[in-house]
Structures are given as structure tokens and as C-alpha cells.
Amino acid sequence: MKKITILGSTGSIGVSTLDVIERHPDRFEVFALSAHSRVEELAQQCKKFQPRYAVMSPANNAASQLAKRLTELNVSTEVLADAGTSAGALEAIASHDDTDYVMAAIVGAAGLAPSLAAARAGKRVLLANKEALVMAGQLFMDAVKQGGATLLPIDSEHNAIFQSLPRDYEAGLHQVGVKKIILTASGGPFRTRALSDLQNITPDEACAHPNWVMGRKISVDSATMMNKGLEVIEARWLFDAKPEQIEVVIHPQSIIHSMVEYVDGSVIAQLGNPDMRTPISYGLGFPERIDGGVATLNLARTGKLEFEALDEDRFPCVRLAYDAMRRGGTAAAQLNAANEVAVDAFLSNQLAFVDIPAVIESVLSKVSFTNAHSLNEIMAADADARELAHQAVIERRMVSRL
Ligand code: NAD
Ligand code: MG
């Protein structure tokens, strides 16, 4: 029986993970759950899965609200809380001796510290929280090695690449005959939209992804294609790839989840319906295959699989991410921080959709880049970039009012 901690259990990935776990009561048990603000949803999950611990973020007294609700529901789950920050309690459930697997499914920089704690504690880390690797790639991969953790990518592209690589790829991509990693991208909801329309895009339009149902932040990232930029950086760290070994191709159907090209010209791909329960099941069952309730792929019904080149003028975020990756040090953490602030501002109607890349570019032109040897250095760089991004958002708003 494997005991599982889910960081971010009320989110899109968290809910899909619980759905897979529920199908295998003989294999998996929920050890701990966490959420940011949705008290009632977490209470209902606790009622159903009876975890030993639950963690709520400290804002709005959510932990005591949850504890009260659990008492009413007669659930014995213990609510862990911290003064000021939830990081301590999240790290505790991520690294607890009694948990085997940790699903890292918090969105954004908030997921870094607990994901890192799971890696250091030698857990099987199912990594959905790509921002953790983008911010702290070297530190994270070192923690995985030193902690003896097993890192399994849950992001569908990286899971596809993992499945398409030979098991001994850690010897080095060159060593195992890999020429290139090819990340597929759907192109999001605005792939063919007239550029002049993008000025007035609303948050709901940006979150209406043609193939995937996801949380709002990653949905906006998919619409700007910063998601693919972050994934390029994620691939660089997960597979120790050089920037020039990572390519992006648009594939609007999201059936091929990514590919690996070998020196002999072979290209190995992983296909499937766009359903995150496939990579989640893979991560939970590995090295076995388990049923995650995913519908059978019907290629005859799909009909066409199409491909096209990425339009960098339409999607400048991909170039910004490649630039940050090549620069190294804290640059990717600063890119990520600026993006989080810009996306947040867009989602709360404080920034135009087309100004998201402009805010990021302005931040990256002002920050100073340093080494990323420690979590402190990375968090300081993250904080600086956030500050500059908030200023850039205000400046853009003032310009757009003129
Ligand atoms: P979501 O917004 O649906 O859920 C996020 C979860 O994190 C929620 O449980 C929320 O309570 C928690 N959370 C948010 N802010 C927090 C904070 N400050 N502190 C603690 N907890 C916090 O997001 P999602 O779509 O499930 O995505 C989660 C992660 O997985 C993201 O990093 C995303 O990029 C990645 N991912 C998601 C998908 C997908 O299909 N949804 C696919 C690939 C990768
Ligand atoms: Mg992805």
C-alpha cells in the first residue's frame, strides 16, 4: 500500500489524482491533502479519503475554518497550520516519514519549497508544478540526487518524453543516441485569431482551452504560450538537455504529447487522449501500467494529426523563455515571477492580454541576474522581479488610460 500526499488537492491536477487513486483502493491510500482557500472542497475530500493530515494556507483563518468543518463532519483528519506561512506545514506533509509518494500540484512559486522538501526527503515526486523546476532547476535536480528521490514528470509533454526515452537516459542524451526533444504545443485558443482581436481578450476567453480543462493560471499561460516556454526550461532540467536540443512544434489536436528524435532518424512519440489521468496513472503505477479511467484513443475519429511551425511574433513568450534559459542563473526564476504577476493582473482585469509579454520583457530588461545556488538567492530574485512586475503593470495601466 503506497501512502500519498497531494499538494494542491483541490486543483485540476489534484482532483484528477484523487480520481485515479479512488480506482485503486488496494494500492493507494491518501496520507495528506492541501489547499489554498477552498475550505469546503478540502473538507469533502477529507471526508471521502480520510487522510491523516490536511493543510490550508494561513489566509482568512482557513485552517481553523477547516478544523471546525471537519469536527462537524465527524472526520478525524488533523489540520496542520503555521503562523504566517503555510510553507512549514506543507513541507512537513511533503517530507513526512510515513508518506511514500508526493503529488506536487500547487500552482506557481508557492509549490517550490514543499516540492523541494519532498525531493530532499527521497520521496517519489510526481511533479506537475513546473514552476518549481523553472525557478530552481539545478537546486531541484541536485536535491533529487542527494535525497535519493524518484522524480516522475506529470506534465503531459515531459511524461511523453520520459516514456519515449530509454530507461538509462540519465547516462546522457548523447550517450543514448538522442538528437532532439520535440515538445508539441496545441497553440492554445488564439492560434488562428486575428492579431487585432487579441487586445480585448477577456480572462474567460483566455481560459477556454480547445483541448484541456485546467486551472486558470496555466490556461492563460497556454494562451500566451508561456506555458510552452516554461516547459522548454522544464525539459532542459529534467532530461539534462542543451537549449539547442529542445524544439517546439505546433500540433493543434494534442494527441501526440511529445517526441524524441534519435540519431538514426527514428522519432518515438507517446500518443493519447488529452486527459491528465494518463500521466498521473503512469506516475502512480510506474513501472507498472494502471487504469486511470481514460477513454480509448480513436484515431479514425480523430482523423487528422496536423503540425505547423511556431509563430514567434504571435507568441513572444516562447522566445523570452529560451532567452532566460540560455542566460541561466536566476533568469528563469525572474521570468517566472514576472509572468505570475502579469497573469494575475490579467485575470483580475488589471492588464491587457497582449501586455503580458511586455511586462515580462520589461522586468527582464531591468533585473540583475545572479547565481541560483541557494533557495534564498532564488527567492530574493523572485521577490525583486515581482516588485518590478507590479510597477510595470501599473505603468501599462496608466498608458492604456491615456
Ligand atoms: P489549479 O489552479 O487548478 O490548482 C492549484 C492548486 O494549488 C489548488 O489546490 C490550490 O488550492 C493550490 N494553491 C494555489 N495557490 C496556492 C498557494 N499560494 N499556496 C498553497 N497552495 C496553493 O492548477 P492546476 O491546473 O491543477 O495546476 C497545478 C500545477 O500543475 C501547475 O503548476 C500547472 O502548471 C501544472 N500542470 C497542470 C496541468 C493541468 O492539466 N491542469 C497540466 C500540466 C501541468
Ligand atoms: Mg504541459
Side-chain angles (χ1 to χ4, degrees), residues 220 224 317 338-339 342-343 346 351-361:
V220 176
T224 60
C317 286
N339 181 56
V343 170
F346 166 66
L351 187 72
F353 179 78
V354 288
D355 282 341
I356 295 174
V359 164
I360 300 164
E361 191 151 25

Side-chain angles (χ1 to χ4, degrees), residues 130 155-158 212 214 218 227-228 231 234 276:
K130 66 192 80 185
D155 212 347
S156 58
E157 295 77 3
H158 306 76
W212 300 93
M214 309 180 286
I218 184 178
N227 184 49
K228 211 49 55 181
E231 290 184 354
E234 186 185 9
M276 288 308 290

Side-chain angles (χ1 to χ4, degrees), residues 206-226:
C207 289
H209 196 280
N211 305 334
W212 300 93
V213 180
M214 309 180 286
R216 284 171 85 75
K217 191 264 177 179
I218 184 178
S219 295
V220 176
D221 285 348
S222 300
T224 60
M225 283 195 73
M226 178 54 93

Side-chain angles (χ1 to χ4, degrees), residues 7-14 34-38 57 86 90 104-108 110-111 127-131 154-157 212-218 221 227 231 276:
L7 304 169
S9 65
T10 53
S12 164
I13 294 287
S34 91
H36 189 48
S37 56
R38 299 188 206 149
S57 294
S86 63
L90 289 174
I106 289 174
V107 60
L127 189 73
N129 177 218
K130 66 192 80 185
E131 294 91 346
I154 299 303
D155 212 347
S156 58
E157 295 77 3
W212 300 93
V213 180
M214 309 180 286
R216 284 171 85 75
K217 191 264 177 179
I218 184 178
D221 285 348
N227 184 49
E231 290 184 354
M276 288 308 290

Side-chain angles (χ1 to χ4, degrees), residues 55-353:
V55 175
M56 287 293 318
S57 294
N60 307 325
N61 244 348
S64 50
Q65 283 182 48
L66 179 68
K68 187 166 159 258
R69 194 66 190 111
L70 291 179
T71 311
E72 285 165 13
L73 293 168
N74 212 4
V75 177
S76 61
T77 299
E78 184 181 336
V79 180
L80 295 182
D82 267 316
T85 161
S86 63
L90 289 174
E91 283 170 45
I93 59 169
S95 60
H96 197 288
D97 277 351
D98 293 345
T99 196
D100 302 300
Y101 297 177
V102 176
M103 166 56 81
I106 289 174
V107 60
L112 173 57
S115 307
L116 203 56
R120 286 183 175 140
K123 304 301 177 191
R124 172 180 291 197
V125 183
L126 308 182
L127 189 73
N129 177 218
K130 66 192 80 185
E131 294 91 346
L133 265 189
V134 169
M135 293 175 72
Q138 187 69 62
L139 202 70
F140 200 93
M141 297 311 286
D142 289 349
V144 167
K145 252 192 216 125
Q146 282 153 19
T150 305
L151 181 60
L152 295 174
I154 299 303
D155 212 347
S156 58
E157 295 77 3
H158 306 76
N159 190 267
I161 293 160
F162 185 82
Q163 294 196 43
S164 304
L165 285 169
R167 280 291 143 258
D168 60 343
Y169 75 88
E170 277 167 311
L173 293 184
H174 180 70
Q175 219 66 27
V176 297
V178 170
K179 195 169 169 189
K180 262 189 321 203
I181 284 172
I182 305 166
L183 291 172
T184 52
S186 69
F190 307 136
R191 181 175 60 91
T192 56
R193 189 75 71 95
L195 285 177
S196 53
D197 282 2
L198 296 184
Q199 184 67 36
N200 297 317
I201 290 299
T202 66
D204 284 348
E205 283 174 284
C207 289
H209 196 280
N211 305 334
W212 300 93
V213 180
M214 309 180 286
R216 284 171 85 75
K217 191 264 177 179
I218 184 178
S219 295
V220 176
D221 285 348
S222 300
T224 60
M225 283 195 73
M226 178 54 93
N227 184 49
K228 211 49 55 181
L230 300 178
E231 290 184 354
V232 165
I233 303 173
E234 186 185 9
R236 180 252 173 280
W237 292 112
L238 279 172
F239 308 115
D240 196 16
K242 298 193 182 78
E244 56 276 16
Q245 283 179 304
I246 310 170
E247 257 181 40
V248 173
V249 67
I250 301 283
H251 165 46
Q253 290 79 15
S254 299
I255 295 293
I256 295 184
H257 297 304
S258 278
M259 303 173 248
V260 175
E261 182 182 337
Y262 289 85
V263 285
D264 62 2
S266 300
V267 177
I268 311 267
Q270 184 258 358
L271 285 71
N273 285 320
D275 185 330
M276 288 308 290
R277 290 175 304 176
T278 295
I280 292 168
S281 303
Y282 184 89
L284 287 170
F286 182 80
E288 281 179 65
R289 299 272 180 177
I290 60 170
D291 181 7
V294 178
T296 303
L297 176 63
N298 184 333
L299 281 173
R301 199 180 315 138
T302 306
K304 276 193 206 159
L305 297 182
E306 295 165 300
F307 304 92
E308 58 192 57
L310 169 76
D311 178 349
E312 289 200 14
D313 295 331
R314 181 181 283 270
F315 298 113
C317 286
V318 181
R319 175 184 50 79
L320 292 173
Y322 267 100
D323 288 351
M325 169 171 64
R326 290 206 171 88
R327 186 175 281 271
T330 53
Q334 288 154 318
L335 168 97
N336 177 69
N339 181 56
E340 286 191 24
V341 170
V343 170
D344 222 40
F346 166 66
L347 283 172
S348 51
N349 298 305
Q350 306 289 307
L351 187 72
F353 179 78

